[in-house]
Amino acid sequence: MGEKNMIEQKRQKGNLKKRIWTDIRKNYELYLFVLPALIVLIIFNYIPVYGLQIAFKDFVPSKGINGSEWVGIKHFLRFVSGYQFKNLMRNTFILALQVIFFTFPVPVIFALFVNQLKNGWKKNVIQTISYMPHFISTVVIAGMLLVFLSPRSGIINILINLLGGEKINFMGMAHWFRPLYIISEIWQHMGWESIVFVAALSGVDPTYYEAAKMDGAGRFKRMLYIDLPMLVPTMVIVFILKVGYVTSAGGSAMSPVFEKVFLMQNDLNLAASEVIATYVYKIGLKSQQYSYSAAIGLFNTLISFFLVAVMNKIGKKTTGAGLW
C-alpha cells in the first residue's frame, strides 16, 4: 500500500507539472507581463537577504562580505545596551501604534458613509477627491506642511494670529510632531485605503437591506448591523497588515514612512521624531557603520514580524480571518 501511495503521489506531481507548463505555453504573453515585476522583486527583495549576514560581522567593504570577521551578536548587544535604545524604541513604537490606532478606523467609517450614497456624480466626486492626496509625493506633502505651518507666513499661524492667539512654531516643537504626522497620514491615505472596504461592501446581498428596511431599520442601524459585520474579515486582514507598519516606521530607510519622518525631522523636534529608520540611515549611510545599522534594522524587523504573527493568530482564533 505504501508503494502504491508513493507511485500515486509521483503521478499526481507529474500531472501537476505538465498542467503548469501547458498553462505557461498557452498564456505565455500574460507570464511575460508578470516577468519584469518578478525580476524586480527578486533583485530588490530576495537577493539583498544574502547581505543580512553583515549584521553578524565587522563588515569592511575592501574585504567583502565573506572576508569580513564574524563577531556574532556583538552589534545587537551594542544597540540594546546603548543610550539611544530606549528613546528609539519608544519613539518608533509610539508613532507606529498611534498611527494604527487613529488612522485604521477612519477609512472604515468613510467607506460606510460612502456606501450609503446613491450611485451618481456626487458619490464619484467625493471618492475622486478623497483618492487624490494619495498620489501626491511624500516630498511635496512635507513641503506643504512646512509652508502651511510656518511661524512667519504660514496660513495656520496667520489664522491663529487673526483670532487673537500667539503664533506657534509647530515644526519646532517635539510634542507637535506626532499629531501633525498622524493628521497628514489621515488626509493623504484615507480615501485610498477605503477602496478595499467599499469593494467589500459592494458584495453585500441587497436583500439584507430590503429586509432591514421592512423591519424599520434606519441608515445607521443598517450600517451597524449589516455593513460593519460584513467588513469584519476584511478589517482583520487590513489591521494585521497595519501592524506591519511598525516595520515601515522603524526598519526600512527606503519606505515612504521613513521619507516623511525624515523630511519633517529637525534638531528641535528630534526628541520625538528620531525613530529607528532615521537612526539606521544616519548610522549606516552617513557614519558608514554598515554592520551596526544592519543589526539594528534586523532587530526591529524580527520584533515586527513577531507582532504580525501574534496578531494573525489572534485574528484566526477570534474571527477566522488571517493572512495565513
Side-chain angles (χ1 to χ4, degrees), residues 159-232:
L159 291 173
I160 291 173
N161 199 24
L162 288 173
L163 294 172
E166 294 184 2
K167 292 184 177 181
I168 303 171
N169 185 10
F170 290 99
M171 303 302 291
M173 296 183 178
H175 64 272
W176 274 107
F177 175 80
R178 295 188 190 109
L180 292 174
Y181 185 92
I182 292 168
I183 292 169
S184 67
E185 281 288 295
I186 292 173
W187 174 75
Q188 187 177 8
H189 301 299
M190 175 190 69
W192 181 258
E193 291 180 357
S194 69
I195 292 176
V196 66
F197 299 114
V198 173
L201 289 171
S202 66
V204 178
D205 192 341
T207 57
Y208 291 158
Y209 297 116
E210 293 173 6
K213 287 180 182 178
M214 291 178 65
D215 290 337
R219 287 189 176 184
F220 180 75
K221 286 189 175 181
R222 292 200 298 270
M223 284 194 292
L224 189 62
Y225 295 109
I226 298 176
D227 293 340
L228 199 56
M230 291 294 181
L231 284 179
V232 168

Side-chain angles (χ1 to χ4, degrees), residues 140-310:
V140 175
I141 295 290
M144 290 169 64
L145 287 172
L146 291 172
V147 172
F148 293 156
L149 300 173
S150 171
R152 293 185 179 180
S153 58
I155 186 171
I156 302 299
N157 272 306
I158 290 174
L159 291 173
I160 291 173
N161 199 24
L162 288 173
L163 294 172
E166 294 184 2
K167 292 184 177 181
I168 303 171
N169 185 10
F170 290 99
M171 303 302 291
M173 296 183 178
H175 64 272
W176 274 107
F177 175 80
R178 295 188 190 109
L180 292 174
Y181 185 92
I182 292 168
I183 292 169
S184 67
E185 281 288 295
I186 292 173
W187 174 75
Q188 187 177 8
H189 301 299
M190 175 190 69
W192 181 258
E193 291 180 357
S194 69
I195 292 176
V196 66
F197 299 114
V198 173
L201 289 171
S202 66
V204 178
D205 192 341
T207 57
Y208 291 158
Y209 297 116
E210 293 173 6
K213 287 180 182 178
M214 291 178 65
D215 290 337
R219 287 189 176 184
F220 180 75
K221 286 189 175 181
R222 292 200 298 270
M223 284 194 292
L224 189 62
Y225 295 109
I226 298 176
D227 293 340
L228 199 56
M230 291 294 181
L231 284 179
V232 168
T234 306
M235 289 169 63
V236 170
I237 293 173
V238 172
F239 183 78
I240 294 170
L241 293 172
K242 275 276 188 180
V243 173
Y245 193 101
V246 177
T247 305
S248 299
S252 174
M254 297 297 292
S255 69
V257 179
F258 159 78
E259 290 177 10
K260 186 181 287 187
V261 172
F262 185 71
L263 291 168
M264 291 176 63
Q265 187 181 92
N266 57 57
D267 292 337
L268 297 175
N269 62 25
L270 202 62
S273 64
E274 186 75 300
V275 294
I276 292 178
T278 57
Y279 186 69
V280 167
Y281 169 78
K282 293 171 184 176
I283 291 295
L285 296 182
K286 287 189 172 182
S287 301
Q288 298 180 353
Q289 300 181 47
Y290 303 115
S291 293
Y292 184 45
S293 61
I296 298 171
L298 180 58
F299 174 82
N300 185 77
T301 301
L302 291 174
I303 293 176
S304 301
F305 178 77
F306 173 76
L307 292 175
V308 171
V310 169

